[in-house]
C-alpha cells in the first residue's frame, strides 16, 4: 500500500511495513479537497503494528499475528483519503465531542438549551456532521522508555456543531512493550459542556477481509444494558441481560442469538446497544470484554475506566464499500466495542455524568491487549 490512489489488489505483505527502528514513520497519505495534506504514521512495538492517519485520528490498520505467527490487519479501513471523506462509517476514527446518540440533538445544561448538529435521522450521532472523525489532528510521535506512540491534539471552537465551550483535546495512542494498544483521552474546556470520547475501530480478528464475525466468541462483564426505542435512543431503563440475547457474561459466539426475534434486535438490525459495565466508572482500566477468533486463535482483551461499552455488530455494512484488502465489506463482517459513557447522557441525569466544567480535566483510558493461542 502507498499514498492515496494506490489500491492494493490483495492482502498486503506484512514485510512491507515500514520500520523506523523504535521511531514512528511518517509518510504522505493523500490530500483533502481543499489541499490539506494528510499523513500516515506507522509504528510497531511488542509484535503489534499500527497505522494512524492525521485525518480523524483514524486507525487505518492494526496488525497482529495468529497462533502460527502470521500477521493480518484486523481493523476495517480504506486505502485512500477520498474514500474516508466520501463514505466512511467511522472506520477506525476518533469520536467526539460526544460519542453515540443525543436525542433530537438537544440538551439543557445549567438552564441553557443547546441545539446540536443533527445527522442521524432526528438525532445527533458521534458529535454531528463535522465531528472529530472529520477533523485534521496535530500528531506528535514519541518514544518513552519501552513505549512508542503518538499524541494527537485538536481544539474545537466554542459553538462547533452546537456544543458550548472551546474544548482542547489530547488523545495518546501508545503501543507498549508487550504489544498492548492503549488510548488515553484528556480534554479541558473554558465553559461548562458535555464530553464523551471514544474510538470506532471495526474489528475482525480473522483479518479485515475475513468475512463474517458471527463465529467470534465474545464475553462482556455486564449484567445490564440500556434498551432503546426505534430511533436507537435509550429509554432510560437499565434492563437485566439475563434470559435475553444480550447476555454475554459467559463467552458465546456473536451470531448465537443474533437472529432471535427480539424487538431490541429488530430496532437495531442486530446489536447496537450500550452495555452497563458491572464495574462502573473506575480510576484505572479494568477488564470488561474478551473477543476471540477460534480459527486464528487471535484474542483481544479490553480494559477501560469507562462505565459502558457499545457493542455494534456491523449491521449497516451493505456491500458498497471496498476495504484495504480489496474485498467488499458485507453485513456482519466486523464489530465495534466502543468504550464510553452512556448514549443520551446529557438528557438522562440518572446516567453517569458527562458534564465537564472549567478547571476540570476529562480523562479516560482504554487498553486493548492481544495474544494468540
Amino acid at each position: 500500500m502507498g499514498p492515496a490512489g494506490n489500491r492494493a489488489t490483495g492482502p498486503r505483505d506484512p514485510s512491507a511495513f515500514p520500520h523506523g527502528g523504535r521511531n514512528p514513520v511518517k509518510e504522505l497519505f493523500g490530500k483533502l479537497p481543499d489541499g490539506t495534506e494528510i499523513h500516515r504514521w506507522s509504528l510497531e512495538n511488542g509484535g503489534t503494528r499500527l497505522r494512524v492517519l492525521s485525518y480523524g485520528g483514524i486507525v487505518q490498520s492494526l496488525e497482529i499475528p495468529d497462533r502460527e505467527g502470521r500477521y493480518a490487519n484486523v481493523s476495517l479501513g480504506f486505502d485512500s483519503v477520498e474514500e474516508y471523506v466520501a463514505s466512511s462509517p467511522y472506520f477506525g476514527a476518533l469520536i467526539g465531542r460526544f460519542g453515540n446518540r443525543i436525542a433530537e440533538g438537544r440538551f439543557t445544561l445549567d438552564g441553557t438549551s443547546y441545539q446540536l448538529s443533527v445527522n442521524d435521522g432526528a438525532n445527533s450521532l458521534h458529535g454531528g456532521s463535522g465531528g472529530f472523525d472529520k477533523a485534521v489532528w496535530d500528531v506528535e510521535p514519541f518514544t518513552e522508555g519501552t513505549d512508542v506512540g503518538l499524541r494527537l491534539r485538536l481544539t474545537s471552537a466554542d459553538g462547533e456543531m452546537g456544543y458550548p465551550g472551546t474544548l482542547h483535546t489530547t488523545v495518546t495512542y501508545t503501543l507498549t512493550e508487550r504489544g498492548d494498544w492503549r488510548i488515553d483521552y484528556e480534554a479541558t474546556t473554558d465553559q461548562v459542556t458535555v464530553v464523551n470520547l471514544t474510538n470506532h475501530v471495526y474489528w475482525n480478528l480473522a483479518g479485515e477481509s475475513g468475512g463474517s464475525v458471527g463465529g467470534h466468541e465474545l464475553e462482556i462483564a455486564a449484567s445490564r444494558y440500556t434498551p432503546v426505542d426505534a430511533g436507537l435512543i435509550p429509554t432510560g431503563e437499565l434492563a437485566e441481560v439475563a434470559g435475553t440475547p444480550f447476555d454475554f457474561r459467559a463467552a458465546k459466539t456473536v451470531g448465537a442469538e443474533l437472529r432471535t426475534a427480539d424487538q431490541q434486535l429488530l430496532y437495531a438490525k442486530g446489536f447496537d446497544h450500550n452495555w452497563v459495565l458491572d464495574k462502573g466508572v473506575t480510576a484505572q482500566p479494568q477488564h470488561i470484554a474478551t473477543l476471540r477468533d477460534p480459527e486464528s486463535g487471535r484474542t483481544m482483551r479490553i480494559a477501560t475506566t469507562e462505565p459502558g461499552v457499545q457493542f455494534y455488530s456491523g449491521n449497516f455494512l451493505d456491500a458498497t464499500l471496498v476495504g484495504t484488502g480489496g474485498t467488499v465489506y458485507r453485513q456482519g463482517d466486523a464489530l465495534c466495542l466502543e468504550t464510553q459513557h452512556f448514549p443520551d447522557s446529557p438528557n438522562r441525569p440518572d446516567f453517569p455524568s458527562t458534564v465537564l466544567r472549567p478547571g476540570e480535566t476529562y480523562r479516560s483510558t482504554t487498553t486493548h491487549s492481544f495474544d494468540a493461542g
Side-chain angles (χ1 to χ4, degrees), residues 75-94:
S75 171
L76 271 57
F78 295 124
D79 274 334
S80 75
V81 171
E82 290 82 0
E83 289 166 297
Y84 281 107
V85 170
S87 56
S88 179
Y90 304 100
F91 283 155
L94 285 174

Side-chain angles (χ1 to χ4, degrees), residues 51 53 55-61 75-80 83-85 87-95 126 133-134 173 181 199-203 208 312 314 316-324 327-330 333-336:
R51 277 192 167 100
L53 305 182
Y55 179 73
I58 287 169
V59 172
Q60 195 228 359
S61 69
S75 171
L76 271 57
F78 295 124
D79 274 334
S80 75
E83 289 166 297
Y84 281 107
V85 170
S87 56
S88 179
Y90 304 100
F91 283 155
L94 285 174
I95 302 299
H126 292 333
D133 60 295
K134 296 175 180 64
Y173 288 163
W181 174 43
N199 183 279
H200 212 301
V201 166
Y202 283 66
W203 300 102
E208 60 85 32
Y312 167 57
F316 299 103
L317 296 174
D318 60 1
T320 61
L321 305 176
V322 179
T324 51
T327 60
V328 170
Y329 295 145
R330 298 183 180 274
D333 279 357
L335 61 84
C336 303

Side-chain angles (χ1 to χ4, degrees), residues 219-224 248-249 275-280 287-290 309:
E219 182 178 354
I220 303 175
S223 302
R224 297 175 296 171
F248 283 89
R249 290 174 296 176
W275 268 252
V276 179
L277 300 174
D278 290 340
K279 71 172 191 65
H287 175 262
I288 58 100
T290 300
V309 62

Side-chain angles (χ1 to χ4, degrees), residues 19-167:
H19 292 272
R22 295 206 61 239
N23 298 311
V25 175
K26 178 183 179 182
E27 62 185 320
L28 179 65
F29 184 70
K31 295 182 180 181
L32 297 180
D34 66 2
T36 301
E37 291 187 345
I38 300 302
H39 292 93
R40 178 170 65 183
W41 295 85
S42 301
L43 52 158
E44 181 174 5
N45 203 15
T48 299
R49 300 166 173 172
L50 182 66
R51 277 192 167 100
V52 176
L53 305 182
S54 55
Y55 179 73
I58 287 169
V59 172
Q60 195 228 359
S61 69
L62 191 151
E63 299 177 16
I64 53 175
D66 66 7
R67 62 168 63 93
E68 305 297 330
R70 296 170 298 197
Y71 275 84
N73 171 23
V74 297
S75 171
L76 271 57
F78 295 124
D79 274 334
S80 75
V81 171
E82 290 82 0
E83 289 166 297
Y84 281 107
V85 170
S87 56
S88 179
Y90 304 100
F91 283 155
L94 285 174
I95 302 299
R97 293 188 186 190
F98 200 95
N100 222 305
R101 295 172 174 88
I102 295 179
E104 298 182 343
R106 297 175 186 167
F107 65 91
T108 299
L109 189 56
D110 288 356
T112 301
S113 296
Y114 298 94
Q115 178 62 60
L116 308 176
S117 165
V118 171
N119 62 329
D120 181 56
N123 305 315
S124 184
L125 175 65
H126 292 333
S129 59
F132 286 4
D133 60 295
K134 296 175 180 64
V136 179
W137 293 68
D138 292 327
V139 183
E140 175 190 358
F142 68 86
T143 301
E144 295 176 354
T146 58
D147 293 342
V148 178
L150 305 170
R151 288 190 183 89
L152 299 96
R153 294 185 174 91
L154 181 69
T155 297
S156 175
D158 177 31
E160 190 169 85
M161 296 295 105
Y163 287 91
T166 299
L167 193 75

Side-chain angles (χ1 to χ4, degrees), residues 147-233:
D147 293 342
V148 178
L150 305 170
R151 288 190 183 89
L152 299 96
R153 294 185 174 91
L154 181 69
T155 297
S156 175
D158 177 31
E160 190 169 85
M161 296 295 105
Y163 287 91
T166 299
L167 193 75
H168 297 282
T169 302
T170 301
V171 180
T172 305
Y173 288 163
T174 302
L175 289 184
T176 70
E177 185 177 30
R178 73 172 305 278
D180 294 349
W181 174 43
R182 189 175 73 240
I183 313 175
D184 293 289
Y185 306 87
E186 291 191 3
T188 59
T189 182
D190 61 358
Q191 297 180 47
V192 63
T193 192
V194 294
V195 184
N196 188 26
L197 306 180
T198 190
N199 183 279
H200 212 301
V201 166
Y202 283 66
W203 300 102
N204 186 327
L205 297 185
E208 60 85 32
S209 299
S212 173
V213 294
H216 280 36
E217 298 167 351
L218 176 63
E219 182 178 354
I220 303 175
S223 302
R224 297 175 296 171
Y225 78 106
T226 51
V228 296
D229 62 20
L232 303 186
I233 297 294

